[in-house]
Structure formats: structure tokens, C-alpha cells
Amino acid sequence: RARGVRSTLRLAVLGGLLALVAAGAAVAALRGDASTQASDTLVIGNAVKIDTLDPANNSVNESIWLTQNIYNRLVQPNKTGTALQPDLATSWDISKNGLVYTFHLRKASFSDGSPITAEDVRFSIDRSMKYKGGWGFLLESVKSLKAPNAQTLVVTLKRPHAPLLADLAMYAYAIVPKKLVQAQGAKFFNKPVSGGPFMVTSLNKDTELDLAVNPHWYGPKPKIKNVKVMIVPNDNSRVLLLQNKQADVIENPPGNLIDQLNKNPDLQADLFPSTRVDFIQLDHHYPPFKDKNVRLALNYGIDREAIVKLAYSGHATVGSSFMPYKMQYWNSSLKPYPYNLAKAKAYLKKSKYPNGFKTFLIEVTNDVAGNATAVVIKSNLAKCRIKPDIHTYELLTAYAKEDSGKSQM
């Protein structure tokens, strides 16, 4: 599946992954503070429907970013993502053998005023660890979770696990109220009670989410009282909302419109570094993609520079790996695959499919950059006698097809 890049691209095929781009991120907004001075509500235009507000289950980035502002966790990353800092846990002790972590919790309340206890924390972590298809594998080394009193959580490990704190800072291990989740089940997440800086006041997954400041939040109070998140999948429609001052901020403005947006004196499009990497996922259930020579043909047969130019107007960086660009331990010695049609044809000739084959590429509806990327890929590969049809779906449908094994690229 071709996934739209925020502002920086990388493209490569490694094993079953055809890494397309390493993306920086982009956001567009009204200049100055005029809008927020006139209203205590910040209006955001998001591109993707909300799949769920259940932190153990959500898989869409936009939903994850929302839950990170709704729920709290034991610890959280700092603003730069380079270190961890306290959240509900004000401190923690680690035994000399590295097997026992004792977390000391602050006295805090959920958004309904009920106390957040260590038993809520224990329940939440245990629930996420056991959630089918979730992130439990990260905490496979956990032997037991115990709450000896309301302000203490003890995590005992089977063996030392250096990234435990970082794992617990992940969105999936957000804290939810045990009694309400057990009583309401999945319905709880339609209007969850939470411990983060904002609380949900209303939710329509397809159209809008409304948030208000959590009066019981223990951290710095947000400067905005309310947030309205409008779901607007069409890239150009989000831009129009911004231009017409119906939104204060939009996420993921089309890369090919960044320069145009900045020419408007009332608008500002900001590009900033991100860990996002766009890639094509190859399903090895489809026989051609099991062939290494086919994968090499794909790597040499796609013009990444053309994608950067056409889909992102230069606001992207061709990448050499699906590891985030310039993150810690990123291998700068790796070089991107150059576009080389002759090599692509030669590798295909060496494969079990010398005469080419048909396949299909899943892309997301209304994703301007992703759509342009798919067009470039289809055009490039046709020259190698590989013929991908473009199948376009709404994002959550695209995810479902991947998860159910009904995808090829």
C-alpha cells in the first residue's frame, strides 16, 4: 500500500518491505493568534476517521495522537522524544538485579473526579498486554503486575528488560478506569473517562470529535478550553477549510501545496522533522514477491526522485531504509537504490517471472500525495513489464484488507 508522506520521502525494498520515503511532518495553520483570541475553541482538520479511542486497539496515527492527549500513562517521552519523564508515576525504583520496578504514583483523578489508583494502572497494563493483535509482545518479559496499595505499582520481570520504561510510555499502555471498562466494555470508549489533559465530550467517528480541558488534570493547564477535531479526508477540502477560516489548523497538507499555502499572508505551513517513513508492503503470499530478484527489480525500477518532485514538490528526502531518518543508530552509510531501468529489467529476467506479471497496489482515497506516488509507481513498473493496477480505498478499509491478507502491494 502506498501511504502518503508528510513531507520527506524514502523509498527502498527490503525483504517484504518496499520502503518508499522517510517523511518529515507538515501542518498548516492560520498565522498569528487571531483565531484563538476570538474563540476558546481550537478547530483542527484531520484527514482520517477515528478507528477507536481504545488505546489498546487503535492503529491509525490520527487516533493515536488523540488518545495521547486524552489518557495519561505511568511515564511519557519529553518534548523532543529523547528521554522519559514522570507522568502518573512521580518516581520509580529499580532493584539491583533489574527484575523489579516499583512505581510511586501521584494522587490524581480521572475526568469524572474518581481517584486513579494503582489497581487501575495494573488493570490497564494487563489488559493491553493480553489484547489480541495488540502490543503485548513488548512486555513479554513481564512476570507479574501487583498493586500493594493505591499509590504503588510493582512490576516484576522474568529477565532484565532495558526498554521497559520506554515500552510503558507507549500509547497502548494508557490508563483507563477498571470498574467502568469492566462494566461498559467497548461502549466505554465512545465517551471515555480519562486522566489526561483533555476529556471527550462527544464523538462521531466519521465526522467529529469534541474535547474539553479535563478539570482534574494534574499537569500544566492547556491554554485552550476546547478542541473540535473535524474529520475531512479530502486533502483539498481541508485546505479550503483553512483558507476560509473554518479551521485553525489542518494536518498533513498536500506536499504539492506547501509553497502555495505559504504565499498566502494569512496562512503558515510548517515542516518539521518526523520519524515517519513511507514504504510499500509486499505480501509474500503472492508468489512473485517471494522472489528476491523481483524485489530487486522493484527497487531499481521505481524513480524515487520523481516521487519527491511530483508528489511532494521537493519537500521530501529519498531514503535508504525503512528505519526513521537520522534517528539514533540510523545507518548513514546506507545509500538509496538509484533508479536504473536496465538493472531492473536484468533482475526481472533472472527471476522466475522474466515476462513480468500483474499485481495491484492499494492506495488511500483523497490522499493527493499518495495518489501521485501510486501513479509514478505504476508508470515506472510498466516499463519493466510489471503491471500494477491501482485499487483505491478509504483508509480503514485499506487497513482491513491488509490485516486480512487481501493485499499484494
Side-chain angles (χ1 to χ4, degrees):
R1 175 166 57 89
R3 302 180 71 178
V5 172
R6 308 261 164 143
S7 69
T8 353
L9 282 197
R10 301 184 223 156
L11 199 44
V13 182
L14 303 173
L17 294 177
L18 180 55
L20 291 179
V21 279
V27 67
L30 294 171
R31 289 188 185 273
D33 298 322
S35 174
T36 52
Q37 287 174 358
S39 171
D40 58 7
T41 298
L42 177 70
V43 181
I44 301 173
N46 266 11
V48 182
K49 295 178 183 179
I50 297 168
D51 60 341
T52 177
L53 293 180
D54 182 349
N57 189 32
N58 54 10
S59 58
V60 175
N61 281 338
E62 283 77 1
S63 299
I64 293 167
W65 300 331
L66 291 170
T67 59
Q68 286 181 313
N69 285 281
I70 295 170
Y71 302 101
N72 58 352
R73 288 153 286 165
L74 280 175
V75 293
Q76 63 172 310
N78 64 7
K79 290 181 179 180
T80 61
T82 56
L84 296 171
Q85 62 187 32
D87 193 344
L88 183 64
T90 56
S91 63
W92 48 90
D93 305 314
I94 306 173
S95 63
K96 289 184 179 181
N97 63 5
L99 295 178
V100 181
Y101 286 65
T102 304
F103 294 90
H104 307 285
L105 314 184
R106 71 176 80 237
K107 290 187 177 181
S109 299
F110 287 111
S111 54
D112 65 351
S114 62
I116 303 174
T117 69
E119 178 57 23
D120 292 309
V121 180
R122 188 208 63 75
F123 166 80
S124 300
I125 296 173
D126 184 65
R127 176 178 179 271
S128 292
M129 285 173 57
K130 294 176 180 177
Y131 203 97
K132 185 178 180 181
W135 294 91
F137 64 90
L138 290 177
L139 298 185
E140 192 274 334
S141 63
V142 171
K143 180 179 180 180
S144 67
L145 299 162
K146 294 181 179 180
N149 59 59
Q151 311 308 136
T152 306
L153 178 77
V154 179
V155 180
T156 302
L157 305 179
K158 304 171 189 173
R159 57 185 177 276
H161 182 63
L164 177 68
L165 293 174
D167 291 340
L168 291 172
M170 189 179 180
Y171 69 88
Y173 293 105
I175 299 160
V176 296
K178 174 183 176 180
K179 291 181 180 179
L180 292 179
V181 173
Q182 287 183 328
Q184 299 175 24
K187 291 182 180 179
F188 170 84
F189 297 101
N190 292 331
K191 193 177 179 181
V193 169
S194 58
F198 289 92
M199 61 182 186
V200 176
T201 57
S202 67
L203 168 65
N204 183 318
K205 294 180 181 179
D206 294 337
T207 59
E208 185 176 320
L209 169 69
D210 295 295
L211 305 173
V213 170
N214 176 2
H216 301 286
W217 167 240
Y218 47 78
K221 295 298 180 185
K223 296 179 181 179
I224 299 164
K225 293 182 180 179
N226 305 293
V227 178
K228 176 186 286 189
V229 181
M230 302 170 65
I231 311 302
V232 186
N234 186 280
D235 286 352
N236 293 319
S237 296
R238 288 199 309 283
V239 172
L240 286 174
L241 280 178
L242 193 65
Q243 292 173 332
N244 295 333
K245 299 186 178 180
Q246 294 175 292
D248 301 302
V249 181
I250 63 171
E251 67 133 357
N252 199 12
N256 58 352
L257 294 182
I258 295 293
D259 294 336
Q260 178 183 325
L261 287 169
N262 276 327
K263 290 178 181 177
N264 187 326
D266 294 327
L267 302 178
Q268 177 177 330
D270 292 322
L271 297 172
F272 52 92
S274 169
T275 55
R276 174 163 177 160
V277 180
D278 279 26
F279 54 85
I280 294 177
Q281 184 170 292
L282 304 178
D283 190 333
H284 281 205
H285 291 101
Y286 187 54
F289 297 144
K290 295 180 180 180
D291 192 318
K292 180 179 178 180
N293 287 313
V294 167
R295 299 197 299 270
L296 286 167
L298 292 172
N299 263 317
Y300 284 109
I302 295 176
D303 188 347
R304 296 156 178 78
E305 294 289 356
I307 293 174
V308 170
K309 184 177 180 179
L310 179 64
Y312 302 98
S313 299
H315 299 294
T317 301
V318 171
S320 56
S321 166
F322 54 86
M323 290 292 289
Y325 185 57
K326 292 188 176 180
M327 71 172 290
Q328 191 173 17
Y329 308 121
W330 180 71
N331 187 351
S332 59
S333 67
L334 293 176
K335 303 302 178 186
Y337 282 91
Y339 177 55
N340 189 321
L341 184 57
K343 274 193 173 183
K345 290 180 177 179
Y347 275 114
L348 192 64
K349 189 174 181 180
K350 289 169 60 178
S351 77
K352 296 178 181 178
Y353 307 89
N355 297 318
F357 56 89
K358 292 183 178 181
T359 183
F360 64 85
L361 171 67
I362 292 179
E363 64 160 8
V364 175
T365 307
N366 297 320
D367 178 355
V368 173
N371 301 159
T373 300
V375 169
V376 172
I377 291 171
K378 180 175 181 177
S379 175
N380 287 164
L381 295 183
K383 299 173 184 176
C384 306
R385 303 179 74 180
I386 298 173
K387 301 175 182 178
D389 287 331
I390 297 174
H391 292 188
T392 304
Y393 303 100
E394 184 272 330
L395 180 64
L396 296 184
T397 303
Y399 277 152
K401 287 190 173 292
E402 288 182 1
D403 293 342
S404 62
K406 296 178 181 177
S407 67
Q408 292 182 5
M409 299 178 72

